[in-house]
Amino acid sequence: MVKMPCLTFNLMENIRKKIVAANWKMNTSLAEGELLIDQILPGIPKSLNCTVIFAPPFTHLSMLKEKLAGSEVHSGAQNCHEEPSGAFTGEISVSMLKSLGIEYVIVGHSERRQLFHESNDVIRLKVDAVLKAGLIPIFCCGETLDIRQTDTQNIFVRHQLEECLFHLEKGTIEKVCIAYEPVWAIGTGVTASPEQAQEMHQYIRDQIALKYDKVTSQLIHILYGGSVKADNAKLLFTQEDVDGGLIGGASLNAESFLDIIHAAC
Ligand code: PGA
């Protein structure tokens, strides 16, 4: 008998197109953001073999959508509120993002978890709100340095997956993009080695396979984030289970971000 499953898995691995997402965080004025987009867009290859996403501050999203009109490049927000509307001064709902045509929302970034005390419970609700609106959550997970030093990172990340994602049905979980971002590597200049990244990405995929099934686990994009730069991107992106990157600092410079896109595409 022909061994169909193997063939199926190989095909699925091939259809996981790389994703490169820019997380600008709280950086750039509107004019600076506009200039940056103007510098980057013309350098993105016309026949894109990867998905490029910009997640600038909320105030820049309208400008971004105008700039991206007619291009293959995608737009994302850095956060959202879990409720559809109401008395939540200073917050932005998913339907507001949707009304602008935003496609992706970063959820549970470690800066949101640490500085704004977002718990797994709140992040789960945000994931649900984003999916319900038909947008794609970029769900962030990852351990702090002290957890890595005690070699308990796998249990820690598994816990984040269980509490934030594993309530989702098969058929829905595939719509989530996961970003593994070790907190000790974010903005520090210290990158996880390609082996460390691959090890955790494979672990995450294995956990999804255990909870759902292997085919489902092969469909899900798992991005790496944490001091990805032009000179380390290629090696990270060629790891079997690394499907691209979530890029902070290096996405704020046109040349370095374009180099990272080229490393992925
Ligand atoms: P960094 O940030 O690339 O500056 O380390 C990544 C992130 O926080 O998403």
Side-chain angles (χ1 to χ4, degrees):
M1 248 174 68
V2 183
K3 282 188 181 167
M4 282 307 287
C6 264
L7 180 64
T8 316
F9 294 147
N10 288 342
L11 283 174
M12 288 187 173
E13 276 160 32
N14 289 340
I15 61 166
R16 277 201 323 262
K17 217 163 62 155
K18 294 269 190 281
I19 296 176
V20 180
N23 175 12
W24 286 6
K25 309 192 181 186
M26 197 174 73
N27 290 299
T28 73
S29 66
L30 185 59
E32 288 163 348
E34 201 166 353
L35 180 65
L36 192 52
I37 293 285
D38 285 342
Q39 289 170 338
I40 296 172
L41 273 189
I44 298 179
K46 286 278 169 296
S47 51
L48 257 190
N49 196 22
C50 66
T51 303
V52 177
I53 304 164
F54 286 97
F58 289 128
T59 46
H60 299 22
L61 288 173
S62 294
M63 173 276 291
L64 176 71
K65 284 305 292 182
E66 278 178 33
K67 296 269 177 197
L68 297 186
S71 88
E72 294 289 307
V73 177
H74 299 268
S75 56
Q78 298 173 19
N79 183 30
C80 65
H81 195 270
E82 61 275 22
E83 292 294 333
S85 63
F88 302 101
T89 302
E91 293 294 322
I92 300 283
S93 74
V94 183
S95 60
M96 292 171 188
L97 298 172
K98 193 176 179 175
S99 70
L100 276 179
I102 304 305
E103 301 148 284
Y104 292 82
V105 186
I106 299 172
V107 174
H109 190 280
S110 64
E111 285 148 19
R112 301 289 324 165
R113 292 174 186 266
Q114 291 194 318
L115 304 173
F116 302 95
H117 314 293
E118 288 190 9
S119 64
N120 283 341
D121 282 345
V122 167
I123 294 162
R124 183 185 67 245
L125 294 174
K126 291 189 181 201
V127 166
D128 288 346
V130 173
L131 287 168
K132 195 168 167 214
L135 276 57
I136 301 172
I138 300 177
F139 164 76
C140 302
C141 57
E143 79 286 356
T144 52
L145 184 59
D146 51 334
I147 289 169
R148 171 67 58 170
Q149 282 168 340
T150 54
D151 201 22
T152 50
Q153 64 273 10
N154 287 4
I155 299 169
F156 183 83
V157 169
R158 189 178 74 214
H159 200 67
Q160 289 180 320
L161 296 171
E162 283 169 351
E163 296 212 327
C164 303
L165 295 187
F166 282 0
H167 63 291
L168 297 171
E169 301 282 333
K170 188 179 151 183
T172 304
I173 183 86
E174 297 91 312
K175 294 175 185 147
V176 178
C177 175
I178 297 174
Y180 167 60
E181 298 207 305
V183 180
W184 47 272
I186 295 178
T188 58
V190 180
T191 320
S193 67
E195 295 75 25
Q196 283 173 320
Q198 168 57 24
E199 199 181 335
M200 179 58 86
H201 283 228
Q202 188 177 351
Y203 176 77
I204 292 172
R205 209 177 295 289
D206 287 348
Q207 295 312 301
I208 298 166
L210 279 174
K211 169 75 186 168
Y212 299 89
D213 53 49
K214 174 128 193 192
V215 173
T216 303
S217 77
Q218 291 295 338
L219 288 170
I220 295 181
H221 282 84
I222 308 175
L223 313 184
Y224 169 79
S227 296
V228 177
K229 305 273 180 264
D231 59 3
N232 59 25
K234 188 94 197 170
L235 213 50
L236 285 162
F237 296 166
T238 46
Q239 301 303 305
E240 190 177 335
D241 289 292
V242 177
D243 303 315
L246 182 54
I247 323 295
S251 71
L252 292 166
N253 175 281
E255 200 182 322
S256 66
F257 191 55
L258 281 170
D259 282 347
I260 293 170
I261 292 172
H262 284 109
C265 295

